[in-house]
Amino acid sequence: MQWTAKAQQSGKVISSQNFTAKGWYPVKPRSTVFAGLIQNGRFSGVFTGDKLRRVNFEHFDIPWWYRTTFRLSDADKLHTFIVIKGIIPGADVWLNGVRLASRDEIAGAYAVHSLDAGKYVHNGTNVLAIKVYPANPNRDLSLSWIDWNPAPPDHNMGIWRDVDIVRSGPVSLHDVYVTADLSVPALDRATLTIHAKLRNDTDVAQTAVLGGNVAGVQLGRSIRLDPHQTRAVTFDRKADPALAIDHPRVWWPAGMGGQPLYHLRLAVKTQDDLSDRANVAFGIRSVTSHLTRQGYRQFVINGMPLLIRGGGWAPDMFLRDDPRRLAQAFRYMLNLGLNTIRLEGKLERQDFFERADRDGILVLAGWECCSKWEAGSGTGGEPWDARDHGIAEASMSSEARLLRDHPSVIAFLIGSDNAPPPEVAASYVDALESAGWPDPIIAAASDATTKPIGPSGMKMSGPYAWVPPDYWYGHKAGAAFGFNSEASAGIDIPNLESVKSMLTASARTALWQDYGAHQFHSTPGWSRLSTLGRFDTALAHRYGKPENLADYVAKAQLANYANARAQFEAYDARMDAPDPATGIIYWMLNSAWPSLHWHLFTYGLEPAGAYYGAQKANEPLHIQYDPVDRAVLLVNHTRHNVADLTARIRIRGLDGRVLYEHAVTRASIEANHAATLLTIPAPKNPSSTWFVELTLARDGHDVSRNVYWLPDRPDELEWDKSDGYTTPVSRYADLSALQSLPSVAVRAKVSTHRDGDTAVTTVALSNPGNSAAMALFIHLSIRHGADGKAILPVYWSSNDVTLWPGESMQLTARYPVATGQQTRPMVRVSGWNVATRSLDANVEH
């Protein structure tokens, strides 16, 4: 890779074998320009402080070249195609001194282009050169970052998806996919239909024999093709009755069942020689959606209405490709108990969707807002012309072909903050349907409608900035009713170590002292989101004014935990309500860079308070408390009815005294439902801060445990002043009495064993019976030595837990065993009022 300021030769010269790419940057096959420069050490530490501001953007105002060589044999016998799967924003393509395509043809981040290279390749070494042009998300149908983080210096210009060399014989296979019609609700029969296209790439007629197998069914067909003819071929139950399968293995979302995948294998032969082949993985499942009586979108998976509980996905800011990191992020999704990822643009590469298929994570795919993509709606970038319409339609066709076979993908949102105008929407729908799209098509992620598909059934009413936990139990704006496509209380402060690593000394001081300060690691350029004033003011009123940075971060963890838990629990509580909650997407799941807002786990793969609050709320079988109605509820996210449960409810004062206690035995909860167990009385003569302690047991073992710290007077919300960002508070709750809790020395016993390349550490925690007080918000971390950095990623069974005197519990963590690790892993025990100590994790090496 090299910029044209240095590589000033023509494409004809650069794509010739005689050209020497001396001084060029070696880069990975999928690499934007800025990612390639980071890979080559040109920029380092750009995520620390405000270094990103000081990058010279002029490097990216002119085109860049990519160049590679590849060797071929049988160039005279096989047909060769160059398949471009994703370039931002567009490019000229040169091969062996010949321009195959110009930027007028190769344009759009998502449009796939197949270029016939047969006349220009030869046996031996061939040279491919691609000239990529500067990107601008207001001008190009590419990618933008809106308010997620700063814009990358290169606006992600470059090759971000694969460029493939594809070879075939006289007849090639295209558009191979499978549709499965599953009987619902019996799930006892599925009818498969196989679709494919055969193309004769020669000047003479060909007789092609297409054969293969799927689900144990053998397929075969002989097809005659005229010169350069393309013919569609279908295998269905009429011609192949065995494609009606009894008792199929059904694909389910995570937590509801397994994720079996079937495989279609096809091959086409001409004159008994293999000409081309295709392998397709797919799942058998049913996805439909409808509007509730209130007009909100309800998804139905395999005949079962499903509460969508997910987060908004952010790829790496520079679109760097890291399969290991991707797997780790998906494992966090599973550990969180969530079932869905929403993609607002940044539609990722094929391996992302393959991972979602294997892990059972549903995907809501769609275009993004506030850029050229929504210019057709009158917002965003420059208005569309005829060329833009063509790029958009080609992009939709390409994405439909990429996504249609993935059982994880359950819808496509053709708009985000705005629905496209009818003519654009119609072109999208035509492109999806022409590609055999099997799933719902939705107008937008907001409350919008467009022809020909009607209302979205979604709401995008926020909040995006701080609200108190009780907000989610309201009946307006973003509270728990309908389908909220993006919402959270905004600020998600990481743990102290992460805060120190991302912020300069002055920014760290401002974080806890200057509530109006603009933070570069929040949302630079967006004043409503780049300051933490609402969050900081609420934190000081509710938990007490921070005394230092560590105190600020500790209080933020309590606040983030309580808010993330309340958000998901409120939607859980109303999944069966007359005005039901049908979906909630936490904004966001992760961050594209180190950030102070909008994530459940950090860019550095660290979970903190918000993570563990969300994890608690999303337990498969869960007990929870509604602080507004004082109701205790049971929630069952599994497909099985559960009976013989014992629920115990206690109200405690700040001193630990039990003010109320009740037990419910032989309780039950239906599959995929929430139900109120009982309403508890208001505590008599509580302290200024009091607690609700809930446990749910089965066969003598706890399956859910939940502790709430609550004020004697709740926050008062000004609902009539709600806007798209937040709802103001006229009076804050007071939880500052928590600062008076005496210090507690928690006991911990640690054991560790190896499971392949993973360490499994179990920590038995106890608060001694003679302790003076509860141990609030006990936090465990695994570290490189007593004073070392946290070992990440780490997957705890639970964390940030609370124990009263005489109570104990056991927590388990799984984490990678570092290769060549020099320091001995340690478990650090800390907490709100817990004396910090470190214990040897005793890893078996």
Side-chain angles (χ1 to χ4, degrees):
M1 183 185 77
Q2 186 57 271
W3 67 330
T4 52
K6 290 189 176 180
Q8 298 182 4
Q9 297 89 340
S10 67
K12 181 176 182 179
V13 172
I14 288 176
S15 65
S16 68
Q17 292 193 40
N18 296 327
F19 181 80
T20 301
K22 185 177 180 181
W24 284 41
Y25 301 104
V27 295
K28 296 179 179 178
R30 305 168 175 174
S31 178
T32 63
V33 170
F34 198 73
L37 293 173
I38 291 176
Q39 179 187 336
N40 282 273
R42 282 293 309 274
F43 300 98
S44 62
V46 291
F47 283 164
T48 303
D50 62 352
K51 284 186 178 180
L52 203 58
R53 284 176 170 165
R54 298 192 289 274
V55 172
N56 185 356
F57 280 59
E58 293 180 359
H59 284 88
F60 315 107
D61 289 339
I62 62 175
W64 281 70
W65 278 107
Y66 290 79
R67 185 181 189 274
T68 192
T69 61
F70 59 95
R71 294 186 61 82
L72 295 181
S73 59
D74 296 326
D76 55 335
K77 298 179 181 178
L78 297 178
H79 295 265
T80 302
F81 296 86
I82 310 297
V83 179
I84 311 280
K85 294 186 175 179
I87 288 180
I88 299 173
D92 299 333
V93 181
W94 291 78
L95 177 66
N96 294 333
V98 176
R99 189 171 72 175
L100 290 184
S102 71
R103 63 181 299 189
D104 291 332
E105 302 163 272
I106 309 298
Y110 301 101
V112 175
H113 304 273
S114 181
L115 306 177
D116 189 345
K119 297 179 181 178
Y120 313 109
V121 294
H122 48 252
N123 290 334
T125 301
N126 295 263
V127 182
L128 176 66
I130 298 175
K131 186 179 185 180
V132 176
Y133 288 85
N136 182 332
N138 290 319
R139 186 188 62 216
D140 309 307
L141 291 169
S142 58
L143 275 70
S144 71
W145 294 93
I146 319 160
D147 48 10
W148 298 11
N149 43 255
D154 64 345
H155 289 293
N156 297 126
M157 69 181 295
I159 299 172
W160 77 289
R161 282 180 171 174
D162 290 333
V163 175
D164 290 341
I165 313 299
V166 177
R167 312 196 74 202
S168 59
V171 175
S172 53
L173 266 172
H174 302 272
D175 284 346
V176 178
Y177 66 101
V178 182
T179 55
D181 184 11
L182 177 64
S183 63
V184 174
L187 309 182
D188 59 353
R189 193 171 178 84
T191 302
L192 305 183
T193 304
I194 316 302
H195 308 264
K197 290 181 180 177
L198 294 177
R199 187 179 69 201
N200 181 358
D201 292 317
T202 71
D203 296 328
V204 298
Q206 299 284 344
T207 298
V209 178
L210 180 62
N213 63 82
V214 61
V217 180
Q218 298 300 313
L219 307 170
R221 195 74 55 83
S222 180
I223 302 100
R224 177 176 172 79
L225 296 164
D226 293 333
H228 300 288
Q229 182 185 13
T230 298
R231 286 187 59 181
V233 181
T234 302
F235 297 94
D236 58 25
R237 62 177 300 181
K238 293 180 181 179
D240 297 275
L243 289 174
I245 302 170
D246 291 327
H247 307 293
R249 294 177 289 121
V250 177
W251 189 97
W252 286 95
M256 301 188 75
Q259 293 78 44
L261 294 176
Y262 287 82
H263 295 271
L264 165 68
R265 295 176 174 84
L266 287 180
V268 58
K269 293 183 177 181
T270 56
Q271 298 179 351
D272 293 329
D273 291 328
L274 177 66
S275 185
D276 203 359
R277 58 190 172 192
N279 298 319
V280 175
F282 65 97
I284 294 178
R285 52 74 167 147
S286 168
V287 175
T288 61
S289 73
H290 61 269
L291 299 183
T292 65
R293 289 181 300 171
Q294 296 79 17
Y296 289 107
R297 182 74 52 179
Q298 172 76 70
F299 282 92
V300 180
I301 311 295
N302 299 330
M304 183 173 288
L306 183 69
L307 175 64
I308 296 295
R309 296 168 289 117
W313 175 260
D316 174 77
M317 182 173 164
F318 307 127
L319 305 182
R320 287 172 291 189
D321 186 29
D322 188 341
R324 184 182 180 202
R325 181 183 175 86
L326 180 69
Q328 292 166 340
F330 269 81
R331 182 150 182 196
Y332 270 137
M333 278 286 295
L334 297 173
N335 186 245
L336 278 162
L338 301 178
N339 59 25
T340 304
I341 283 174
R342 181 184 162 211
L343 298 177
E344 186 195 13
K346 294 87 168 171
L347 286 170
E348 283 292 357
R349 305 167 175 102
Q350 182 73 15
D351 49 353
F352 176 95
F353 301 101
E354 292 171 352
R355 171 64 60 178
D357 293 343
R358 293 194 298 271
D359 288 348
I361 302 299
L362 304 175
V363 179
L364 292 170
W367 301 130
E368 63 189 36
C369 85
C370 314
S371 66
K372 182 78 171 187
W373 281 105
E374 287 201 341
S377 307
T379 63
E382 299 173 4
W384 285 14
D385 57 21
R387 179 172 178 269
D388 295 318
H389 283 276
I391 294 171
E393 186 172 350
S395 300
M396 188 73 267
S397 295
S398 297
E399 286 306 300
R401 291 193 295 270
L402 170 68
L403 301 177
R404 63 191 170 194
D405 274 305
H406 291 285
S408 57
V409 178
I410 60 170
F412 201 97
L413 283 66
I414 59 173
S416 180
D417 292 24
N418 299 276
E423 65 275 13
V424 176
S427 71
Y428 284 153
V429 172
D430 287 347
L432 285 159
E433 292 180 346
S434 296
W437 185 255
D439 301 317
I441 304 170
I442 300 174
S446 62
D447 181 10
T449 186
T450 188
K451 294 180 179 180
I453 56 178
S456 68
M458 303 276 191
K459 67 177 184 178
M460 191 186 284
S461 47
Y464 298 93
W466 186 84
V467 290
D470 288 3
Y471 168 95
W472 303 103
Y473 289 91
H475 297 276
K476 296 181 179 180
F481 61 91
F483 196 116
N484 199 339
S485 67
E486 49 184 64
S488 75
I491 303 303
D492 287 310
I493 302 296
N495 287 323
L496 185 59
E497 184 178 332
S498 292
V499 169
K500 288 181 176 179
S501 69
M502 81 168 82
L503 301 183
T504 63
S506 61
R508 294 198 296 267
T509 300
L511 187 62
W512 67 277
Q513 290 187 351
D514 184 357
Y515 297 173
H518 288 257
Q519 289 285 350
F520 187 61
H521 282 265
S522 186
T523 304
W526 286 63
S527 59
R528 296 194 72 173
L529 296 173
S530 65
T531 62
L532 281 61
R534 286 190 56 81
F535 176 85
D536 292 346
T537 300
L539 196 70
H541 277 91
R542 302 178 93 248
Y543 289 98
K545 189 174 181 179
E547 298 178 358
N548 50 49
L549 180 62
D551 187 43
Y552 173 88
V553 171
K555 288 172 177 173
Q557 300 316 310
L558 265 73
N560 290 158
Y561 181 104
N563 224 316
R565 175 177 61 179
Q567 178 174 343
F568 284 105
E569 284 187 342
Y571 275 80
D572 283 347
R574 294 179 178 172
M575 61 192 289
D576 298 315
D579 184 0
T582 59
I584 178 63
I585 300 296
Y586 190 93
W587 209 247
M588 297 176 65
L589 174 68
N590 61 331
S591 297
W593 78 318
S595 178
L596 296 169
H597 76 162
W598 291 354
H599 60 258
L600 289 175
F601 58 88
T602 69
Y603 180 81
L605 299 177
E606 181 181 38
Y611 180 101
Y612 293 115
Q615 182 193 48
K616 174 56 60 179
N618 287 290
E619 293 173 324
L621 192 61
H622 181 60
I623 188 169
Q624 65 184 55
Y625 177 63
D626 173 348
V628 175
D629 293 337
R630 298 200 311 275
V632 176
L633 300 98
L634 300 184
V635 179
N636 182 1
H637 285 303
T638 76
R639 287 168 46 225
H640 307 288
N641 298 338
V642 182
D644 296 323
L645 296 165
T646 299
R648 297 189 182 278
I649 301 98
R650 292 187 180 95
I651 298 177
R652 294 180 182 264
L654 190 64
D655 58 1
R657 287 184 304 114
V658 177
L659 306 177
Y660 169 86
E661 186 170 10
H662 186 77
V664 178
T665 58
R666 302 186 65 80
S668 62
I669 179 69
E670 293 181 45
N672 195 37
H673 276 282
T676 298
L677 188 65
L678 77 162
T679 301
I680 64 176
K684 296 180 180 180
N685 303 317
S687 52
S688 59
T689 301
W690 50 285
F691 303 88
V692 171
E693 178 187 9
L694 307 175
T695 58
L696 186 66
R698 190 181 190 193
D699 299 328
H701 299 286
D702 287 352
V703 294
S704 179
R705 186 177 183 278
N706 216 344
V707 175
Y708 299 80
W709 47 98
L710 300 165
D712 61 342
R713 297 176 63 189
D715 303 89
E716 290 185 2
L717 287 142
E718 298 183 276
W719 287 103
D720 58 335
K721 296 182 180 179
S722 297
D723 61 18
Y725 287 89
T726 190
T727 295
V729 173
S730 60
R731 183 175 59 80
Y732 293 98
D734 184 2
L735 295 161
S736 60
L738 293 174
Q739 297 177 113
S740 66
L741 290 173
S743 180
V744 174
V746 172
R747 293 176 182 172
K749 184 178 180 181
V750 180
S751 63
T752 300
H753 68 274
R754 286 281 293 270
D755 181 9
D757 58 358
T758 299
V760 183
T761 292
T762 300
V763 183
L765 291 171
S766 63
N767 187 359
N770 60 355
S771 174
M774 62 183 293
L776 177 65
F777 216 65
I778 305 167
H779 182 76
L780 303 179
S781 59
I782 312 289
R783 315 193 76 83
H784 293 285
D787 300 316
K789 293 183 178 181
I791 296 177
L792 300 170
V794 60
Y795 310 98
W796 285 98
S797 57
S798 185
N799 210 332
D800 293 343
V801 298
T802 296
L803 294 176
W804 271 270
E807 288 189 330
S808 61
M809 68 186 308
Q810 185 170 287
L811 307 178
T812 301
R814 301 180 69 91
Y815 52 96
V817 177
T819 304
Q821 182 173 293
Q822 300 299 313
T823 55
R824 197 169 178 82
M826 305 288 285
V827 175
R828 179 181 293 176
V829 182
S830 60
W832 177 260
N833 64 324
V834 176
T836 301
R837 57 192 296 220
S838 296
L839 304 124
D840 195 329
N842 192 31
V843 177
E844 298 173 1
H845 293 287

